[in-house]
PDB file of all heavy atoms in Angstrom:
ATOM      1  N   LEU A1161     188.705  94.438  88.563  1.00  0.00           N
ATOM      2  CA  LEU A1161     187.569  93.562  89.021  1.00  0.00           C
ATOM      3  C   LEU A1161     186.785  94.417  90.156  1.00  0.00           C
ATOM      4  O   LEU A1161     187.314  94.800  91.053  1.00  0.00           O
ATOM      5  CB  LEU A1161     187.982  92.291  89.560  1.00  0.00           C
ATOM      6  CG  LEU A1161     188.871  91.420  88.614  1.00  0.00           C
ATOM      7  CD1 LEU A1161     189.357  90.221  89.326  1.00  0.00           C
ATOM      8  CD2 LEU A1161     188.163  91.070  87.372  1.00  0.00           C
ATOM      9  N   LEU A1162     185.432  94.636  89.858  1.00  0.00           N
ATOM     10  CA  LEU A1162     184.623  95.249  90.806  1.00  0.00           C
ATOM     11  C   LEU A1162     184.058  94.252  91.740  1.00  0.00           C
ATOM     12  O   LEU A1162     183.327  93.373  91.321  1.00  0.00           O
ATOM     13  CB  LEU A1162     183.474  95.973  90.069  1.00  0.00           C
ATOM     14  CG  LEU A1162     182.576  96.851  91.079  1.00  0.00           C
ATOM     15  CD1 LEU A1162     183.322  97.951  91.772  1.00  0.00           C
ATOM     16  CD2 LEU A1162     181.408  97.455  90.214  1.00  0.00           C
ATOM     17  N   THR A1163     184.385  94.343  93.016  1.00  0.00           N
ATOM     18  CA  THR A1163     183.902  93.403  94.096  1.00  0.00           C
ATOM     19  C   THR A1163     182.643  93.900  94.691  1.00  0.00           C
ATOM     20  O   THR A1163     182.111  94.923  94.417  1.00  0.00           O
ATOM     21  CB  THR A1163     185.060  93.365  95.137  1.00  0.00           C
ATOM     22  OG1 THR A1163     184.994  94.597  95.951  1.00  0.00           O
ATOM     23  CG2 THR A1163     186.371  93.170  94.630  1.00  0.00           C
ATOM     24  N   LEU A1164     182.018  92.887  95.392  1.00  0.00           N
ATOM     25  CA  LEU A1164     180.734  93.193  96.122  1.00  0.00           C
ATOM     26  C   LEU A1164     180.864  94.265  97.144  1.00  0.00           C
ATOM     27  O   LEU A1164     179.815  94.834  97.510  1.00  0.00           O
ATOM     28  CB  LEU A1164     180.237  91.887  96.712  1.00  0.00           C
ATOM     29  CG  LEU A1164     179.787  90.786  95.743  1.00  0.00           C
ATOM     30  CD1 LEU A1164     179.037  89.797  96.449  1.00  0.00           C
ATOM     31  CD2 LEU A1164     179.004  91.223  94.502  1.00  0.00           C
ATOM     32  N   SER A1165     182.056  94.546  97.577  1.00  0.00           N
ATOM     33  CA  SER A1165     182.230  95.664  98.579  1.00  0.00           C
ATOM     34  C   SER A1165     182.113  97.063  97.898  1.00  0.00           C
ATOM     35  O   SER A1165     182.023  98.060  98.613  1.00  0.00           O
ATOM     36  CB  SER A1165     183.622  95.532  99.157  1.00  0.00           C
ATOM     37  OG  SER A1165     184.582  95.948  98.337  1.00  0.00           O
ATOM     38  N   GLY A1166     182.153  96.990  96.551  1.00  0.00           N
ATOM     39  CA  GLY A1166     182.061  98.284  95.766  1.00  0.00           C
ATOM     40  C   GLY A1166     183.404  98.836  95.526  1.00  0.00           C
ATOM     41  O   GLY A1166     183.575  99.813  94.845  1.00  0.00           O
ATOM     42  N   SER A1167     184.444  98.163  96.079  1.00  0.00           N
ATOM     43  CA  SER A1167     185.871  98.543  95.764  1.00  0.00           C
ATOM     44  C   SER A1167     186.431  97.709  94.569  1.00  0.00           C
ATOM     45  O   SER A1167     185.893  96.633  94.320  1.00  0.00           O
ATOM     46  CB  SER A1167     186.601  98.453  96.912  1.00  0.00           C
ATOM     47  OG  SER A1167     186.142  99.198  98.134  1.00  0.00           O
ATOM     48  N   LYS A1168     187.502  98.148  94.134  1.00  0.00           N
ATOM     49  CA  LYS A1168     188.075  97.439  92.883  1.00  0.00           C
ATOM     50  C   LYS A1168     189.375  96.631  93.304  1.00  0.00           C
ATOM     51  O   LYS A1168     190.198  97.080  94.102  1.00  0.00           O
ATOM     52  CB  LYS A1168     188.375  98.494  91.899  1.00  0.00           C
ATOM     53  CG  LYS A1168     187.154  99.138  91.273  1.00  0.00           C
ATOM     54  CD  LYS A1168     187.706 100.243  90.319  1.00  0.00           C
ATOM     55  CE  LYS A1168     186.330 100.935  89.731  1.00  0.00           C
ATOM     56  NZ  LYS A1168     186.735 101.990  88.772  1.00  0.00           N
ATOM     57  N   LEU A1169     189.500  95.516  92.578  1.00  0.00           N
ATOM     58  CA  LEU A1169     190.728  94.776  92.673  1.00  0.00           C
ATOM     59  C   LEU A1169     191.439  94.783  91.265  1.00  0.00           C
ATOM     60  O   LEU A1169     190.833  94.868  90.314  1.00  0.00           O
ATOM     61  CB  LEU A1169     190.440  93.208  92.949  1.00  0.00           C
ATOM     62  CG  LEU A1169     190.230  92.696  94.348  1.00  0.00           C
ATOM     63  CD1 LEU A1169     189.925  91.302  94.289  1.00  0.00           C
ATOM     64  CD2 LEU A1169     191.551  93.014  95.088  1.00  0.00           C
ATOM     65  N   LEU A1170     192.826  94.830  91.350  1.00  0.00           N
ATOM     66  CA  LEU A1170     193.548  94.818  90.196  1.00  0.00           C
ATOM     67  C   LEU A1170     194.083  93.371  89.954  1.00  0.00           C
ATOM     68  O   LEU A1170     194.461  92.702  90.889  1.00  0.00           O
ATOM     69  CB  LEU A1170     194.688  95.728  90.094  1.00  0.00           C
ATOM     70  CG  LEU A1170     194.298  97.253  90.279  1.00  0.00           C
ATOM     71  CD1 LEU A1170     195.578  98.067  90.154  1.00  0.00           C
ATOM     72  CD2 LEU A1170     193.301  97.626  89.173  1.00  0.00           C
ATOM     73  N   ALA A1171     194.179  92.922  88.677  1.00  0.00           N
ATOM     74  CA  ALA A1171     194.747  91.555  88.395  1.00  0.00           C
ATOM     75  C   ALA A1171     195.744  91.779  87.390  1.00  0.00           C
ATOM     76  O   ALA A1171     195.600  92.438  86.328  1.00  0.00           O
ATOM     77  CB  ALA A1171     193.676  90.588  87.925  1.00  0.00           C
ATOM     78  N   ARG A1172     196.923  91.190  87.628  1.00  0.00           N
ATOM     79  CA  ARG A1172     198.026  91.260  86.735  1.00  0.00           C
ATOM     80  C   ARG A1172     198.733  89.882  86.655  1.00  0.00           C
ATOM     81  O   ARG A1172     198.508  89.055  87.497  1.00  0.00           O
ATOM     82  CB  ARG A1172     199.127  92.300  87.102  1.00  0.00           C
ATOM     83  CG  ARG A1172     198.599  93.624  87.202  1.00  0.00           C
ATOM     84  CD  ARG A1172     199.661  94.632  87.814  1.00  0.00           C
ATOM     85  NE  ARG A1172     199.125  95.989  88.025  1.00  0.00           N
ATOM     86  CZ  ARG A1172     199.607  96.872  88.896  1.00  0.00           C
ATOM     87  NH1 ARG A1172     200.715  96.489  89.590  1.00  0.00           N
ATOM     88  NH2 ARG A1172     199.126  97.995  88.974  1.00  0.00           N
TER      89      ARG A1172
END
Side-chain angles (χ1 to χ4, degrees):
L1161 305 175
L1162 181 63
T1163 69
L1164 294 192
S1165 72
S1167 300
K1168 296 176 180 178
L1169 273 178
L1170 300 181
R1172 298 173 185 157

